[in-house]
């Protein structure tokens, strides 16, 4: 039985929120897992690579599954594995066990990611206007909630396994509620379009845009605290201010981005986003004081807010590839930026300084502004 567009919208929004909650649940307990296994920072960095390896390896599989079986089934499979994967992470008592659990968690997350974004493209088509950024905003908001829950549970001395089991227990019945309310079918494949094909120039352009913006985003995730400690020389209690400012403005920006895109268009949104990213990074580099750097990181958060949702929405409307395959292709290129950004920062900083590294990343924002003018 078909539902109203509003029902589909809220169902897909809930699926995004579940994805964000699961990811934040794991990320918030990494220090506890590190302590339990006695991992050094270098060892932890190597172990954590297992998750993006799983994600990257699952991208072509996710696109194929969506094209063959529909995004509804892939969303449910991904969310089920995501929920079940959390207790496996909590049960890991050796590094090989943790590596295997992280690979599975990465695979599950990417299945859910491609599936739910394909669902979002379908819902956006029902509305006839941009709503993709709001979905991604809910992912960020759920991530905040998951991090806050972790703080409370750590304060009550609840261990990671009990925490992970509790979230998994919430996820599984949620699936039963969402399943009948997801879009039953995706947009039909363009006539004559092959099921498997290399991305065309327009999809490659979208992938490069995602690469540049996610490189900035990955830098903020992994290096903002280090920058505030080593360059800004923030008091210890304020070291996390830059990351909090970035995340807050990125989440807030995603709730207004759809209105901005509909009013001013995709090209202008991309150009402004890139300029905000570059300006924010250069402000933090040129004036590395506490409040100027915080303002700079806020601008970076605002700049990154719309780019990935906009790019995913455009990829899902491809006329040359099925939506799931197009999303997987663009995500693969973009995800490489998220992976390469943090190591690049460390490599350049080793030869020069963190300020030079951040100035280099500002060029990625300028690239978003320049390439955004070419988006159809």
């Amino acid at each position: 039985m078909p539902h109203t567009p509003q029902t589909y919208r809220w169902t897909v929004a809930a699926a995004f929120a579940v994805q964000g909650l699961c990811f934040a649940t794991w990320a918030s307990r990494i220090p506890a897992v590190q302590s339990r296994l006695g991992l050094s920072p270098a060892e932890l960095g190597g172990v954590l690579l297992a998750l993006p390896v799983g994600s990257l390896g699952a991208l072509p599989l996710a696109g194929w599954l969506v094209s063959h079986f529909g995004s509804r089934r892939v969303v449910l499979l991904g969310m089920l594995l995501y929920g079940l994967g959390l207790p496996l992470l909590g049960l890991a008592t050796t590094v090989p066990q943790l590596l295997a659990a992280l690979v599975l968690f990465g695979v599950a997350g990417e299945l859910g990611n491609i599936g739910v974004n394909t669902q979002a493209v379908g819902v956006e088509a029902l509305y006839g206007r941009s709503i993709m950024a709001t979905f991604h905003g809910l992912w960020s908001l759920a991530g905040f909630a998951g991090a806050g829950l972790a703080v409370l549970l750590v304060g009550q001395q609840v261990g990671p396994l009990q925490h992970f089991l509790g979230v998994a227990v919430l996820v599984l019945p949620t699936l039963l509620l969402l399943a009948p309310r997801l879009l039953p079918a995706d947009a039909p494949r363009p006539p004559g379009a092959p099921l498997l094909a290399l991305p065309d120039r327009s999809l490659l352009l979208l992938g490069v845009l995602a690469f540049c913006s996610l490189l900035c985003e990955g830098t903020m995730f992994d290096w903002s605290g280090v920058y505030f400690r080593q360059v800004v020389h923030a008091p210890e209690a304020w070291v996390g201010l830059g990351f909090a400012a970035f995340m807050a403005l990125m989440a807030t920006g995603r709730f207004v981005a759809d209105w901005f895109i509909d009013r001013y268009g995709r090209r202008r949104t991309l150009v402004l986003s890139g300029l905000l990213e570059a300006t924010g990074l250069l402000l933090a580099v040129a004036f590395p004081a506490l409040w100027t750097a915080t303002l700079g990181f806020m601008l970076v958060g605002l700049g990154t807010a719309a780019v990935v949702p906009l790019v995913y929405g455009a990829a899902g409307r491809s006329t040359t590839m099925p939506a799931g395959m197009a999303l997987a292709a663009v995500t693969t290129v973009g995800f490489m930026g998220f992976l390469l950004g943090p190591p690049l920062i460390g490599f350049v900083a080793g030869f020069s300084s963190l300020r030079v590294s951040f100035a280099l990343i500002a060029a990625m924002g300028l690239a978003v502004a320049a390439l955004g003018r070419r988006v159809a």
Side-chain angles (χ1 to χ4, degrees):
M1 177 180 176
H3 297 283
T4 64
Q6 290 82 3
T7 298
Y8 291 130
R9 181 176 184 177
W10 285 109
T11 303
V12 173
F16 269 92
V18 170
Q19 290 274 112
L21 175 63
C22 287
F23 179 79
T25 298
W26 154 246
S28 63
R29 301 310 293 260
I30 289 175
V33 173
Q34 177 188 14
S35 177
R36 185 177 67 196
L37 296 182
L39 300 174
S40 69
E43 290 169 338
L44 177 65
V47 167
L48 292 180
L49 279 175
L51 194 151
V53 165
S55 297
L56 198 59
L59 279 167
L61 173 64
W64 183 86
L65 287 174
V66 168
S67 299
H68 273 77
F69 301 107
S71 62
R72 178 177 175 273
R73 292 179 178 177
V74 177
V75 168
L76 296 174
L77 173 63
M79 290 175 62
L80 175 63
L81 293 177
Y82 222 23
L84 294 176
L86 281 170
L88 293 180
L89 293 168
L91 288 167
T93 57
T94 66
V95 169
Q97 289 175 356
L98 182 58
L99 288 171
L102 281 172
V103 170
L104 174 62
F105 198 63
V107 169
E110 211 51 57
L111 290 176
N113 176 46
I114 296 301
V116 78
N117 274 285
T118 305
Q119 283 273 310
V121 169
V123 176
E124 195 173 60
L126 293 178
Y127 274 76
R129 57 184 174 84
S130 179
I131 58 173
M132 180 69 79
T134 303
F135 289 135
H136 285 253
L138 286 167
W139 187 96
S140 301
L141 193 62
F144 273 123
L149 175 63
V151 171
L152 293 175
L153 294 178
V154 169
Q156 296 297 317
Q157 298 184 335
V158 176
L161 178 57
Q162 291 79 9
H163 181 182
F164 294 166
L165 281 170
V167 173
V169 168
L170 289 175
V171 169
L172 300 181
T174 302
L175 286 178
L176 298 177
L177 291 174
L178 298 184
R181 296 171 177 83
L182 289 165
L183 278 174
D186 302 324
R189 199 153 42 104
L195 189 59
L196 294 174
L198 293 174
D200 59 16
R201 290 180 62 183
S202 63
L203 287 176
L204 286 175
L205 173 60
L206 294 175
V208 173
L209 280 165
F211 176 93
C212 294
S213 189
L214 283 171
L215 200 150
C216 293
E217 195 172 317
T219 297
M220 289 292 102
F221 272 103
D222 285 22
W223 286 94
S224 56
V226 178
Y227 191 86
F228 262 58
R229 176 178 283 114
Q230 296 185 5
V231 178
V232 178
H233 301 297
E236 191 62 30
W238 294 92
V239 165
L241 179 62
F243 179 69
F246 163 77
M247 284 296 292
L249 266 292
M250 184 173 70
T252 302
R254 284 178 169 170
F255 286 106
V256 300
D258 290 319
W259 171 85
F260 193 93
I261 292 168
D262 286 333
R263 185 173 180 86
Y264 296 105
R266 292 179 172 83
R267 286 183 181 175
R268 289 180 180 177
T269 301
L270 286 170
V271 171
L272 178 60
S273 296
L275 292 176
L276 285 171
E277 290 175 1
T279 300
L281 286 164
L282 292 175
L283 178 62
V285 168
F287 305 100
L290 182 63
W291 298 113
T292 49
T294 300
L295 176 59
F297 282 24
M298 290 171 69
L299 293 178
V300 178
L302 201 58
T304 57
V307 178
V308 170
L310 192 156
V311 164
Y312 283 7
R317 292 187 294 274
S318 171
T319 59
T320 60
M321 293 178 70
M325 293 299 299
L327 278 165
V330 169
T331 303
T332 300
V333 178
F335 197 66
M336 293 305 296
F338 195 81
L339 289 179
L340 293 176
L344 177 64
I345 286 286
F347 179 77
V348 174
F351 282 92
S352 53
S353 68
L354 269 178
R355 293 177 73 180
V356 172
S357 298
F358 272 60
L360 178 64
I361 300 301
M364 296 297 102
L366 296 177
V368 169
L371 293 173
R373 297 173 61 88
R374 300 173 56 186
V375 172

